[in-house]
Amino acid sequence: QVQLVESGGGLVQAGDSLRLSCTVSARGFSRYPLGWFRQAPGQEREFVAAITWSASNIYYSDSVKGRFAISRDDAKNTVYLQMNSLKPEDTAVYYCAVQLYNSAALTSPVSYDYWGQGTQVTVSS
């Protein structure tokens, strides 16, 4: 059973920073691509960032490029999302996900096989 557990969300002010963590219980963690998505109330789940094995490729949505950074620590089976210069429009539930069984585009939520429970990030103006 693969499990993902996120942490690090919270309530911050615009311009602040947060770091989200996601620990994955999966054998062979280092081989798998990982992604972060977010979902605001009434909206579809939105791609934020993704990282392939050995961090050989990293992808960001245009809305977070230059402000957010995804990284992974394979020794800890953990993926991180460093979020800087937060804006009120970044408010959402943030989810991490792992792709185990296919090689589809990492920017699409349907490409991922397991998801965390989500962590709330709220940015006040």
Side-chain angles (χ1 to χ4, degrees):
Q1 181 75 12
V2 177
Q3 292 186 325
L4 294 84
V5 179
E6 299 117 334
S7 61
L11 171 63
V12 298
Q13 293 187 332
D16 286 349
S17 298
L18 275 177
R19 188 176 81 155
L20 305 183
S21 301
C22 173
T23 301
V24 183
S25 64
R27 288 188 174 183
F29 172 86
S30 63
R31 300 198 303 266
Y32 302 126
L34 301 150
W36 286 98
F37 289 76
R38 65 187 182 186
Q39 189 165 18
Q43 297 189 18
E44 294 186 353
R45 194 162 294 191
E46 173 192 21
F47 169 74
V48 174
I51 186 167
T52 58
W53 68 279
S54 297
S56 52
N57 290 289
I58 290 176
Y59 307 93
Y60 296 103
S61 68
D62 288 342
S63 60
V64 307
K65 197 173 296 183
R67 299 188 298 123
F68 290 13
I70 188 172
S71 61
R72 63 189 298 160
D73 184 339
D74 292 338
K76 296 182 178 180
N77 275 31
T78 300
V79 60
Y80 303 98
L81 185 68
Q82 177 67 43
M83 305 186 294
N84 300 324
S85 302
L86 283 161
K87 305 175 181 180
E89 50 263 45
D90 294 319
T91 295
V93 178
Y94 283 70
Y95 299 90
C96 63
V98 62
Q99 184 187 79
L100 298 183
Y101 304 125
N102 68 80
S103 58
L106 294 177
T107 57
S108 172
V110 300
S111 301
Y112 293 84
D113 303 296
Y114 291 92
W115 293 81
Q117 81 287 353
T119 185
Q120 177 71 45
V121 172
T122 303
V123 184
S124 64
S125 58

